[in-house]
Amino acid sequence: MIAEPSAAGGLPSRRENAVHDETVPESAVQNGSCMRNGNLKTPREKRKVREQCENIRRNSSSSRRVSQLQNGEVVEAVTLFEVVSMGKQAMQSVVDDWVEAYKQDRNVALLDLINFFIQCSGCQGMVTAEMFQSLCKKDVMQKMTETFDEETGLQYKKFVAYPWILTVTWPVDMDNEDYPLIRTGPYWKKFKANFCEFIAVLVQQCQCSILYDHYLMDTIISLLTGLADSMVRAFRHTSTLAAMKLLTAVVSIYLNLDVNKHNAQRLYEVEKKRISGKRTNYRLDQLERKRKEYEHKLLEIQNMMNAIFKGTFLNRYRDVIPEIRATCMEEIGSWIKTYPDGFLNDSYLKYIGWMLYDKQAEVRLKCLLGLQGIYSKKELVSRMDLFTSRFKDRIVSMPLDKDHEVAVQAMKLLMLMSQNCEDVLSTEDCETLYQFVYTTHRPLAVAAGEFLYKRLLSHEGVEEVRPKGGGEFGASTDQLKRLICFFLESELHKHVAYLIDSLWDWAGKFLKDWECMTTLLLKNAEEGGEALSDAHESALIEIILATVREAAEGHPPVGRGAAKKILSAKEKKIQLEDCTKITEHFIIVLPQLLAKYSTDAQKVANLLQIPQYYDLDVSSTGHLEKHLDALLREVKDIVAKHSDMSVLEASARTYYILCSGEIAIYNQVDHARTQLIDELMGQLNQLLDGFWQKEEGFCMDAGKISQMHSALRRAAAFHNAHDLTKWNLYDKTLRLLVFEMEHGILPVLMILPALQCTYFSLLWQLAAVSENSPKETVFALRRELRRFSQICTCFLHHKEKDVKEKAFTILCDWLLILSHQDSNNNEEAVGLLDYLPSTSLQEKLLFFIQEHVFVEEEEESKDMAEEEERKDESCKLDDLHKKRRLLAAYCKLIVYNVVEMTAAAEIYKYYVKTYNDFGDIIKETLSKTRHNNKIQSAKTLILCLQQLFQTHTESQDSSSGVDFSSASFTNMKELARRFSLTFGWDQVKSRESVAMIHKEGIEFAFQGATGVDGKCLPPNLSFLLIISEFSNKLLKPDKRLVYAYLQRYVAEPLPCKGEKWQPLIWYRNSLLANEDEESSVLGSSGEWSPVGTSKTPSFKRKLSNGSLPETSQNEAASKTPGLQCASQLASAAGRSRKRLKSREMHLQEHLQFLCPGGLRRRYCKEEIKTEDVSEGQAKNTIEDVDVDVVGADQVVGVVSIIAKLRPDPWRGLGTIPSLTIGIKVLTNTDSETLKQSREAGSDQRGGSVLLDVFFTI
């Protein structure tokens, strides 16, 4: 694979760290004095090496920093790593300079390149080298290790970079999460691109000279292979990326050489034929030598490719780090596409197929992108048969991937496979993929739309029979019929807007062919063409409406896309042109369509929505006025014929749109509207007069009831969009409602529209209140508002379910409007009209929700068993939608503080039980209430759990205690767990809420405890198990506060014996789960320990300045043995992490909890001995000390590292001291320091110093 290098003589070696360059003398390397043959035996030898290297650095600094005079300026040389990371210099010149240096002294230049790769891995250590020839093979095998030295706290990696053995040294705490490839920020943003470009340019510039010297590439490949086998993530990631990019560059060189070889071969054959029969000349010999030279280079390149692939790719494509696996998959896809003759076979394709099942989306995505490059070329697809048959099912299933980008790219890959592979996808596969046009994720839907359009709609098949006189629409007609058939077969008739949006980017031209669509609808009956069925006509009208909406609005339908997109200037121009085209076409055609389908409510309702997308300026032109008159006549006839609410609302909205704004057609449309409303009110007045004459007799006439129902519905529909106050509709409908309250004989068909009309009348009166409104008018309106609220409240107990639900919905919206009025016009009037529900009304609303929404399944199945058997799935969905609307209406009252927030406790009880049906509504309510008031929201959550616990306790036998295994108790714990999950990952943001939950929970758990000493079992102690679900949301400092607050209710020591006290022990353990000292007693017999016991600090974040604040001599003298123990632990932190961890574990095994009277820490057998640490020693040992600062950068106040005895302000005892090593958070008494810290900007996140709402002691 890699040719043996020739024996080298004296080898000048170099090593460089992040800043300095060091040159190791030739004698030092050859004699092994620098590294003792690469193996440092003792600490003294290692220290000697460091001192020697420092001397070398000082002596060689002047020679390394070569100053060159360029354009009168002195320019200092920098390392390759600095040049590449800065990216300010052209990569071509950087590589050229290095190649020149390599030609002058290849060993020095090569060590520069080696250090470049090491530094690109983020390693700030040293690199030394020794000759391979100086060691026997057995010694070399022993040196291929990665070891940890406990004395120095350093790690060593030895590996072959032929012909050298390299030793890389780095600190043990080298951060795997921080190296150049993954660093963020503007400086490192382009590092990866610059790094890859450097490797590509390096190979490109070396291809004509030093690439084949059996030295450069052998060393680089050995180096990258060795680093790729490291346990350190930074080494593996960087070297794997470099090796993969190196192989990519080498493949390009191979292809160029192969072309040159074929050219040389062809010239050779031509030359040979030309001189046939003659003796060989010089030209022929030259071509023969060149051809053999190319063959030799190709063989060497092939060896390099095999070495990189087998040495790096085969070991790293299954690496535990997903970024490394993704890099391997990305590059192998590039190799196969670039060099198919060498890589396009099953031996290489299998790796991509296997990694399609990878758990990480990034890896799967790279596999799909690589396959797209292969399947996009028809000449390569024929060689993919075995791979396609093996992995087709997996690819077909990947549009269902949970990662959106993977799903999109999988759909695009299937599109390429469908185009370039014959019959690779079955009919079942295609039908499955077609349905993705209805998905809510728009990029996936658009990709599926391309698949549907190119596979089905634009397919050139047998043309359908074309309508007479419409030959120019033949192609579009065929596509439309295909689209209609697909839409009807998919059986998703309410989602046509999603289908059109998916096809818009690919079939926008024929979807905007409204002339063809309307011609297909109108000419069927007139000219006897092939008539569309009723279902096809309905589908085509829905498609017309969806295309008009898409063209006019320019954004996806609701639910597909987060918000309306911002249109570019070009898109706005297209949108205006489409609106003009829509107006000019449909203002002529729409009256004809309405006349044809005037009796079909569904078709008419859809057609009447088209005018709202008109460009009214275009419709105001003179030549279109006659068509406008025809439209108004048709709408008037439709209103007279229909009582369907969707048709009536669409008609009312049409009048509203055409009357809006100061346009030329306003007077014309307003006159038609007034004329229509006069007729409607006249019909209603006539029916009402007949009703008041007959009353009970009227209610017995089904025909009269139907007429009254239609008249009231028309009035309600128009009153929703138009102000009908001058027709005095309010008094007429209110009289009907009062009559129903008194007698209760009105049919439902009259009550529902009457309620709606009365509601709209009051809303128009409320909106008319202005600054100049007299007080008499305001008081009269206030009286009517109260009266209508009482009517709705009364109807909550109506015998008809529909009336109750309608009254509840109107009442909720009514209360919300009255409590949130706009006070810009008349603040005094708004204050008079303000109305908040009473306590009794709030109770009625809550009871209604419990009775009509959260119905127990058992009761529902018993009461409505026969009815449920008759209901189909659509009816069940309709019932669910009604319940969701009722619940949403009530939850809005909670969110906007119309009713007390504590009412939400009754709603939260059903969060888990009804999660599938109402979980999203309840969760959104919880989120909004928490945003309004975090503390009150937390109290509502704990109130919900308390009520459930009390219900559970009452249902249990008091003598047997609480059954922890019962279904109700398990459900409570699950509900608490779900509540805990709603707080998210930001513990600082939710710390006050979680602390309040624990505070209220502890107080509830110890309610009713007899005796001052607290040794009697509290009746609600089991509730601690419930609130323990929130312990993991507490910050460590807050856990200590909660722990201290808990001890106020518990005597010390407490004999926690028996199962009855287990909830207390479990809750306590949940608070101390992450504490080092307490973890040793979690499984103990249950003896209670005081909070004042000292604990071993956990080390997590390094001090920025590497030292701790100095303490005064008095403080040092007053240290207790416990404090000296803590100092000893702190000094040990400067040593290796493994030693520190083992020491802490040893202490944890032997520390005993003592009584509050003593703070001494002892082993089981002997006392911990402490010794003074001098100032110089402290500086050395404290250098790497880690301090637990969880949440420190979010609290308000000065965070300082302290190690002194102080009384615990949260203990409530005052006399028991506690040892604190870690975070000091200022209390309210530290006002001056707190003021300074706020001025310094320490309150960036808005967190509190201490939980003021928490423990008030």
Side-chain angles (χ1 to χ4, degrees), residues 1006 1008-1018 1048-1049 1051:
F1006 288 95
T1010 57
V1012 181
D1013 55 358
K1015 292 186 177 181
C1016 295
L1017 183 70
R1048 296 177 59 193
Y1049 296 89

Side-chain angles (χ1 to χ4, degrees), residues 895-911:
V895 170
Y896 291 101
N897 299 320
V898 180
V899 301
E900 296 293 337
M901 191 182 295
T902 54
E906 295 294 334
I907 306 296
Y908 296 159
K909 293 178 182 179
Y910 301 94
Y911 180 51

Side-chain angles (χ1 to χ4, degrees), residues 551-562:
E553 294 182 349
H555 59 80
V558 177
R560 180 179 284 179

Side-chain angles (χ1 to χ4, degrees), residues 766-949:
L766 190 63
V769 175
S770 63
E771 186 176 357
N772 299 324
S773 299
K775 287 189 176 182
E776 293 78 9
T777 304
V778 174
F779 279 109
L781 178 58
R782 179 184 181 185
R783 183 171 57 255
E784 296 301 327
L785 297 180
R786 301 296 191 271
R787 188 177 185 183
F788 180 69
S789 299
Q790 294 175 359
I791 292 175
C792 292
T793 305
C794 179
F795 281 170
L796 291 179
H797 306 285
H798 198 273
K799 59 183 178 181
E800 295 292 340
K801 181 180 178 182
D802 292 339
V803 176
K804 291 190 288 187
E805 292 178 351
K806 174 62 73 173
F808 179 83
T809 305
I810 291 178
L811 184 59
C812 289
D813 293 342
W814 186 239
L815 292 173
L816 186 62
I817 292 171
L818 292 180
S819 59
H820 290 78
Q821 298 179 59
D822 187 8
S823 60
N824 294 331
N825 294 331
N826 191 342
E827 295 184 2
E828 183 179 359
V830 169
L832 292 174
L833 297 176
D834 192 17
Y835 178 70
L836 291 176
S838 61
T839 304
S840 61
L841 179 56
Q842 295 185 32
E843 293 175 354
K844 291 178 181 179
L845 294 174
L846 180 58
F847 179 77
F848 184 91
I849 286 294
Q850 292 175 326
E851 186 180 21
H852 292 82
V853 176
F854 301 114
V855 181
E856 296 292 339
E857 295 293 334
E858 295 79 10
E859 296 178 3
E860 191 174 8
S861 60
K862 290 179 182 179
D863 298 339
M864 298 184 293
E866 296 180 359
E867 184 180 357
E868 285 294 328
E869 293 177 357
R870 295 192 302 267
K871 282 187 178 181
D872 55 5
E873 291 298 326
S874 61
C875 293
K876 293 180 180 179
L877 286 176
D878 290 340
D879 292 340
L880 178 59
H881 290 161
K882 287 182 181 179
K883 292 180 179 180
R884 287 176 59 85
R885 284 195 293 267
L886 295 174
L887 180 60
Y890 181 74
C891 288
K892 284 191 292 186
L893 300 181
I894 298 175
V895 170
Y896 291 101
N897 299 320
V898 180
V899 301
E900 296 293 337
M901 191 182 295
T902 54
E906 295 294 334
I907 306 296
Y908 296 159
K909 293 178 182 179
Y910 301 94
Y911 180 51
V912 176
K913 188 182 300 183
T914 62
Y915 184 80
N916 293 332
D917 295 336
F918 312 113
D920 56 336
I921 299 176
I922 299 176
K923 188 175 182 180
E924 185 67 16
T925 304
L926 199 157
S927 175
K928 294 293 185 181
T929 54
R930 183 175 297 156
H931 181 267
N932 295 339
N933 191 327
K934 294 188 293 185
I935 301 303
Q936 190 61 33
S937 176
K939 290 183 177 180
T940 305
L941 290 181
I942 198 66
L943 176 62
C944 171
L945 295 173
Q946 290 172 0
Q947 292 176 353
L948 287 174
F949 183 83

